[in-house]
Amino acid sequence: MKSEPLRIAFRVDADTHVGTGHLMEVMALIEAMESICAVEPLVVTRANPYTVERLERSGIRNVMLLDGGCDEEEDVIETVGILSAWGYRDLVIDLLDRSDAFYAALKERLATTTVILDNNVHKATPADLVINFSITQSACFYDPLPGCYLVGPRYAILGGAIAQRTPPGVKESVSRIFVNQGGGDPYGLTSKTLKAVDGMFEGAQVDVVVGGSLGRATLAELEETKRELGGGERYIFHSNISQQEVYDLMERADLALTAAGNTLYELSYFGVPSIVICHHPLHDTVARAFEQEGAVINLGEGNRLDEEVIACEALRVAGDLGLRKTLSRNMRRIVDGGGTARVARRIAEVVRWSRQAGPAGRGKGAAEIANF
């Protein structure tokens, strides 16, 4: 007999402040889950044109928009109300900076909750399943804690069936440069990076991936930068492109100038030698962890950087084939591309466990889930 599809809801947002990484993770998870089991996803999100458009393009039909503000209590009430109306009792939460009280309130009201994090905080989180794929995480911290924790880059949630791609080798010279500062680029670091390297790398093509949630001021600054760039035909700006198209650019890149969000984990899979220009202290912590593995050159927070520093480091890395090979090799050791499938399978297992356990298992299933 054909099994009933898993009805799993996803709570996610994307905007200039939080960027687009959380949304990309959810879309990647849904795609992975659809490849391993029958699933009926429901996405609950705040109204944002970019979010709605990307979900529509990905073929996700069931999307509900929240009406309330940013208050956590209102969010819980409205989210649970939507799930109840649709007949969903299992929720995956991929949001920025939510309190333990928020997670606990959702866990109390639903059959299962999964929380996806990407930070350097080591603590228990109220949920049936917790994923934190940050390179800063240490699995041994969670061993004595109740519940199921999947931590570290082994569980990096990357999209577009990235594991089916073949990472390229390192070429003798740099002919393609990949530039990206995340989906929101809240600090205008794309413009700063381009100004820093303008006039360098004669004959090289610079592929600039423009995030989908840039604010008006950042977009205006970027347009002004485009007009100022010398040899402008070498700069190709890619806006509103698919994840597969982003991966095409990464496969061709010989050097990347990037932030330390999800894109850094994707570049790691492809082994693209990368110079990291961070948005904020959390990014800097992540980039330093990559640097400690000999995998990137970390320049720290971009707002504190002189353009000359960016230029000098870019020239140094581009001119040192041995260094680029070392960076590439060490990046490939960190991310294997299988994280999305691992997480998708585990979420499906947790939901199936909940169905089998029924009401009797509610609230006491941490150990059972961990051993399911």
Side-chain angles (χ1 to χ4, degrees):
M1 184 175 67
K2 187 176 181 180
S3 61
E4 289 291 321
L6 300 180
R7 295 166 62 81
I8 302 175
F10 297 80
R11 175 70 184 88
V12 66
D13 288 332
D15 56 36
T16 302
H17 172 62
V18 305
T20 59
H22 301 275
L23 177 63
M24 296 297 105
E25 290 164 11
V26 163
M27 292 194 300
L29 271 179
I30 291 173
E31 181 182 7
M33 295 193 75
E34 289 175 338
S35 71
I36 62 174
C37 64
V39 61
E40 291 183 3
L42 166 67
V43 176
V44 180
T45 185
R46 298 197 178 281
N48 177 284
Y50 174 81
T51 305
V52 174
E53 189 269 339
R54 287 307 296 254
L55 290 170
E56 288 177 349
R57 280 174 55 185
S58 69
I60 298 171
R61 298 185 301 275
N62 298 335
V63 179
M64 291 297 295
L65 304 180
L66 296 177
D67 295 324
C70 297
D71 179 79
E72 287 191 352
E73 186 174 349
E74 291 180 8
D75 196 318
V76 169
I77 293 171
E78 194 171 358
T79 298
V80 172
I82 290 172
L83 267 61
S84 177
W86 281 69
Y88 282 69
R89 301 185 65 243
D90 301 283
L91 178 65
V92 177
I93 308 155
D94 194 340
L95 296 167
L96 179 68
D97 294 338
R98 290 302 192 271
S99 69
D100 284 349
F102 175 80
Y103 294 130
L106 287 169
K107 186 176 188 297
E108 181 182 349
R109 291 163 171 81
L110 298 168
T112 69
T113 57
T114 295
V115 172
I116 298 172
L117 303 168
D118 177 20
N119 59 41
N120 62 347
V121 179
H122 288 69
K123 68 180 183 66
T125 299
D128 298 290
L129 175 63
V130 180
I131 295 98
N132 191 332
F133 61 82
S134 173
I135 190 175
T136 64
Q137 286 291 318
S138 173
C140 62
F141 173 86
Y142 298 94
D143 289 342
L145 298 181
C148 183
Y149 290 82
L150 308 179
V151 302
R154 175 175 168 78
Y155 300 100
I157 303 171
L158 310 178
I162 193 171
Q164 298 176 13
R165 300 265 184 158
T166 302
V170 177
K171 292 188 293 191
E172 292 288 327
S173 60
V174 171
S175 61
R176 294 284 291 265
I177 300 170
F178 178 95
V179 176
N180 175 254
Q181 277 292 325
D185 189 11
Y187 304 98
L189 296 177
T190 303
S191 290
K192 186 172 190 175
T193 300
L194 293 175
K195 291 175 183 178
V197 301
D198 189 31
M200 299 164 50
F201 307 111
E202 184 176 353
Q205 178 175 310
V206 181
D207 291 297
V208 185
V209 177
V210 181
S213 290
L214 267 63
R216 291 182 180 179
T218 303
L219 281 171
E221 182 183 17
L222 189 56
E223 287 300 319
E224 179 64 26
T225 300
K226 288 182 186 180
R227 291 189 287 270
E228 295 174 357
L229 292 173
E233 68 280 356
R234 296 195 300 112
Y235 297 88
I236 301 179
F237 291 81
H238 306 267
S239 301
N240 200 28
I241 62 175
S242 69
Q243 196 69 52
Q244 294 292 347
E245 290 171 305
V246 173
Y247 291 163
D248 288 342
L249 296 175
M250 290 183 178
E251 281 184 335
R252 302 184 192 117
D254 305 306
L255 177 67
L257 298 163
T258 180
N262 288 17
T263 302
L264 184 56
Y265 292 89
E266 294 167 333
L267 289 165
S268 290
Y269 174 77
F270 288 106
V272 181
S274 297
I275 297 170
V276 184
I277 301 166
C278 304
H279 288 183
H280 42 64
L282 174 57
H283 270 195
D284 190 34
T285 301
V286 170
R288 280 190 277 115
F290 271 89
E291 189 171 47
Q292 287 170 2
E293 298 294 327
V296 304
I297 302 298
N298 175 33
L299 301 187
E301 294 179 52
N303 281 343
R304 302 179 180 181
L305 279 177
D306 291 332
E307 291 178 11
E308 184 178 352
V309 173
I310 300 173
C312 288
E313 284 300 294
L315 278 175
R316 181 176 74 88
V317 176
D320 191 333
L321 176 60
L323 174 59
R324 285 189 283 116
K325 286 184 175 180
T326 297
L327 294 173
S328 178
R329 181 173 60 251
N330 291 335
M331 289 184 90
R332 291 283 292 122
R333 290 173 177 166
I334 293 172
V335 177
D336 67 3
T340 308
R342 294 184 187 105
V343 173
R345 284 194 295 268
R346 199 59 168 150
I347 292 173
E349 289 170 357
V350 167
V351 173
R352 291 191 183 108
W353 172 87
S354 175
R355 286 185 173 184
Q356 292 180 14
R362 183 172 169 78
K364 62 176 183 179
E368 290 90 338
I369 289 174
N371 296 315
F372 183 76

